[in-house]
Amino acid sequence: KQAVPEAEPEISRKPAVPSEAVKFILEQKIENLIKETANKKKRRDEFEASIKDYPDNEKERLRMLFAQKESDFLRLKRSKINKDMFTKIKTIG
Amino acid sequence: FKPKKNLPDGAQHLKDYAEATLGSGNLGLAVKLPDGEDLCEWVAVNTVDFYNQINMLYGTIQDYCTEESCSIMTAGPKYEYHWSDGTSKPIKCSAPKYIDLLMTWVQEQLEDEKVFPDKIGVAFPKNFLSICKNILKKLFRVYAHIYHCHFSNVIDLGEEPHLNTSLKHFVYFCNEFHLIEEKQYAPLRDLIDKLINKDTK
Ligand SMILES: [Zn+2]
């Protein structure tokens, strides 16, 4: 096998991106954003309903647990989009 | 083949295109801090998201943004940006170079675990919000450049509702948490006012 000098990787972060794909992704994104806002509220309301018979101090503790779970969910989501994005850029770029 | 529409330069015409947006959902509500949510976590996930949106949108018109077409990083005739990462002396460069430096600078911070921790249980740095303010302030300039110098490309690609919606989401978010000073919006002032007013009417 003949040795081919490896091309220097381009300095650019990414190649030109197909417009149709970007439009599709952004349309989905906005739809999901609106859905997720409604879902979050629903989760919160259901959670509140589920603890309504608990004593106040217990309610506070459970609310903190619930908030922690929601925060962890956001962090995982961020770490996932971060990873997806950078692997994609690296593979193509 | 679609002939290039001849658009006058300047911000005036931009606001005439503010009508085109995606969806009818309430973005003002969607950006609010969810009940009990950690502010840093919320700002973090959204900052990554805006970086991503701007990266994609700029990517679609990148071929038109060249050393020749955009030899200076501008947002209309009145605004010119010189690149500095905050420590270096500002340098005057072309828009593609400026945006490449900017996006690389943002990406490095998003990948830095000490700034954007991605393991559960690791705390954000004390100055996290001011780091994000700085990132968002600079990301806004990419929108400003696209609108002022590449809006005809955006129209040719049929992307104006996407760009408008992305900017609107960005402004709603930044305003909700006071992440950008109003004066930074100057290059797109009229357009932004129109995008936001459309909702409050
Ligand atoms: Zn340009």
Side-chain angles (χ1 to χ4, degrees):
Chain A
K1 210 166 153 192
Q2 205 176 341
V4 181
E6 253 189 63
E8 275 296 306
E10 287 274 311
I11 47 152
S12 88
R13 288 159 288 106
K14 60 201 165 0
V17 182
S19 173
E20 291 309 316
V22 167
K23 285 193 279 188
F24 179 77
I25 292 168
L26 291 175
E27 284 159 21
Q28 292 292 304
K29 209 181 239 304
I30 209 79
E31 212 173 284
N32 288 339
L33 175 72
I34 302 299
K35 259 190 234 157
E36 180 54 27
T37 308
N39 285 344
K40 248 193 201 108
K41 170 136 184 24
K42 193 163 159 257
R43 280 203 299 272
R44 177 86 195 175
D45 291 348
E46 282 171 3
F47 167 75
E48 282 296 331
S50 76
I51 62 166
K52 69 176 183 342
D53 297 328
Y54 285 78
D56 280 352
N57 60 340
E58 186 62 7
K59 265 188 195 148
E60 267 322 298
R61 196 184 67 86
L62 290 167
R63 279 194 191 112
M64 272 165 66
L65 281 177
F66 179 80
Q68 189 58 55
K69 185 184 68 79
E70 293 279 298
S71 284
D72 290 351
F73 168 76
L74 275 191
R75 182 163 294 198
L76 290 174
K77 182 178 154 194
R78 171 166 57 84
S79 125
K80 192 181 172 309
I81 43 179
N82 234 346
K83 233 169 251 143
D84 285 355
M85 182 166 75
F86 295 135
T87 17
K88 206 174 86 205
I89 290 161
K90 275 170 195 151
T91 341
I92 309 172
Chain B
F1 173 78
K2 252 167 57 191
K4 283 247 158 57
K5 291 166 194 77
N6 260 325
L7 290 169
D9 191 43
Q12 191 53 37
H13 73 277
L14 288 174
K15 71 176 166 55
D16 301 335
Y17 288 89
E19 297 304 326
T21 48
L22 297 174
S24 52
N26 187 340
L27 280 177
L29 196 66
V31 299
K32 288 206 184 309
L33 183 68
D35 246 340
E37 187 54 80
D38 176 66
L39 177 64
C40 288
E41 206 66 66
W42 186 239
V43 171
V45 75
N46 280 283
T47 301
V48 172
D49 186 42
F50 289 126
Y51 167 81
N52 209 359
Q53 292 189 33
I54 293 168
N55 204 20
M56 284 193 286
L57 284 164
Y58 180 70
T60 65
I61 55 99
Q62 199 180 14
D63 289 349
Y64 308 102
C65 189
T66 63
E67 297 290 326
E68 293 74 42
S69 71
C70 308
S71 58
I72 306 167
M73 173 64 178
T74 57
K78 280 199 280 186
Y79 301 94
E80 182 176 319
Y81 299 115
H82 296 175
W83 174 255
S84 163
D85 63 6
T87 53
S88 58
K89 225 176 100 202
I91 52 161
K92 193 169 162 170
C93 59
S94 70
K97 180 77 188 155
Y98 183 103
I99 293 172
D100 190 43
L101 289 167
L102 190 165
M103 297 306 263
T104 305
W105 171 82
V106 175
Q107 184 176 326
E108 276 166 11
Q109 296 179 81
L110 300 184
E111 283 182 305
D112 184 349
E113 292 233 10
K114 288 196 281 300
V115 183
F116 281 80
D118 73 347
K119 305 257 183 329
I120 300 280
V122 181
F124 286 96
K126 289 266 179 296
N127 58 343
F128 182 71
L129 289 180
S130 63
I131 292 172
C132 286
K133 282 181 188 173
N134 207 7
I135 291 176
L136 293 163
K137 177 175 89 180
K138 291 206 158 77
L139 283 177
F140 173 78
R141 297 171 180 177
V142 185
Y143 284 119
H145 179 72
I146 296 177
Y147 270 106
H148 278 281
C149 304
H150 299 287
F151 202 67
S152 61
N153 307 129
V154 169
I155 292 199
D156 285 345
L157 294 167
E159 274 177 14
E160 70 273 29
H162 306 77
L163 181 63
N164 283 341
T165 306
S166 180
L167 174 68
K168 188 164 124 177
H169 184 197
F170 180 92
V171 172
Y172 265 118
F173 187 81
C174 292
N175 288 356
E176 177 72 19
F177 304 105
H178 311 289
L179 297 168
I180 289 191
E181 285 177 272
E182 284 290 327
K183 65 169 193 232
Q184 296 291 334
Y185 292 144
L188 298 177
R189 185 77 265 171
D190 292 349
L191 173 76
I192 289 173
D193 288 346
K194 190 144 183 211
L195 279 171
I196 304 288
N197 278 338
K198 227 180 88 185
D199 282 355
T200 48
K201 248 181 241 157

